[in-house]
Amino acid sequence: MSFPYLSVLTVAPAVGGVVVALLPKDKPELAKRVALAWSVAVLGFAVAMWIGFQANGPRLQFRESYPWIPAWGVRFTFAADGIALVMLALIALLVPLVILASWHDAENSRRSVPMYFALMLFLESSMIGVFAAADVFLFYVFFEVMLVPMYFLIGSYGGQRRQYAAVKFFLYSLAGGLLMLAAVVGLWVLGGHTFDWETLLKADFSTGAERWLFLGFFLAFAIKAPFFPFHTWLPDAGGAAPAGAAALLVGVMDKVGTFGILRYCLPLFPDASKYFAPLGMALALVGVVYAALLAIGQNDLKRLVSYTSIAHFGFIGIGIFAFTTQAASGAVLYMFNHGLATGLLFLVVGMLVARRGSALIGDFGGAGKYLPVLAGVFFFAGMASLALPGTSPFISEFLVLVGVFTVNKTVAVIATFGIILAAGYVLWMIQRTIQGAPNPAIEQVEGMKRPMSLREAVVVTPLIALILLLGFYPKPVLDVVNPAVKATLSDVGASDPAPTAGKLTVTKEAGR
């Protein structure tokens, strides 16, 4: 019997969360060290699992299944394909970096420091569970459970309007969860009284039932991602959450929406996926342009980064619903690369805000004069966010646009306009924050004279290295992702359009 990687990865952070929560409140440093060590151990298991994964092996690997509720056919079933594997690796990588970046975040909140880091580990456990689940009911349980630690991270440890943002986040997510619950029940009734994902792949639904089930899942995932017009909770939550929690919210948690579409909507409801594909692509495309326009008008760094993420999720959405190998592989790669780039950007923004005591862009200006190294990292993170060639998001964006262009040139052209807007809001953010004439008020802020620490350098270095490495050599991730993408498109019955060789020949002859 192979090592139970997925159950260990799911349970270990939760156990660590209990241990950290029980530590004395008057020993915050001990709680930080235990949480960090625990998360690094989880990262070690994730690395071992990545090494053991066979890219050209079975679709679902590391499968485990244990009885849970026999009367309903519910089991603790875990399994991972290439898409789930890269997301699990992203979680395992980001959590220890977030814990290290958040070393002092809870100290000024008048709340328990051990509980802050315990919530981080509980969140890691539930996020791993939602990507590792191969039982629909188990997926739904983790989908709902992961709301709880994030709710308390925002509501108890966030900034201004934290309670409003936490409640709004919870209500939106809960509404999506209720829609999914109705669809999950319908799936069990119509799918042969089972929640096993592989068994449900063979289920045959009537046209009407399949479309309603698709909508139940899709709307829940569209709220979670979020897609336009369900996006309004994200800028509030991202703006109010501590920087580390915001990095996990936008970098990982929101990917549950796009992952859910790939894992559940497309394979389980292939005909309905094709039927609603124009709707999904339209919502994603509107999000690309609309969120970019809103990002330009923001004066809060954290809200601005949140809006940029909505635009990026639009690219992921059009990549998924293009139903081409290039676009879908680009979308999955975008999910991973966005987590790296936006995670880095949120963490660096948190470092700047901690020094300035404000997230308002107007309170900065010329900050690069006082913090040259941190300003340089901020500049790099911004360039990665706008998908500058040489950074990993560029590869993702390019694959999505090339794949979409082969099936819908209009959508590809409009999405390209979103890239131009991205350059505008990122460059404007950089110009108003770290460049230009120094803001006289900054000189009076002691924190702005504190250079980047070794701890902060350790946080940003792995992310910068991965963004550059995958920007030039994305093969290690694409080799893992591509077989799962092809299997998903095969479930939908989609195939890449035939190359237009004849038109190319005519063009060449005409050029002569």
Side-chain angles (χ1 to χ4, degrees), residues 326-327 330 334 387 392-404 419:
Q326 281 181 318
Y334 212 145
S392 57
F394 171 76
I395 304 295
S396 316
E397 217 163 75
F398 181 78
L399 286 174
V400 168
L401 290 174
V402 169
V404 171
I419 298 177

Side-chain angles (χ1 to χ4, degrees), residues 13 18 26 47 50 58 62 113 115 126 162 166 232 272 281 284 298 306 313 324 337 339 348 353 364 424 434 447 510:
V18 173
D26 59 351
V47 170
W50 184 285
F62 309 111
V113 173
M115 184 54 67
S126 56
R162 61 180 180 271
T232 59
M281 187 171 285
Q298 298 303 308
S306 298
F313 282 118
T324 67
N337 288 334
V348 175
V353 171
F364 288 86
I434 63 175

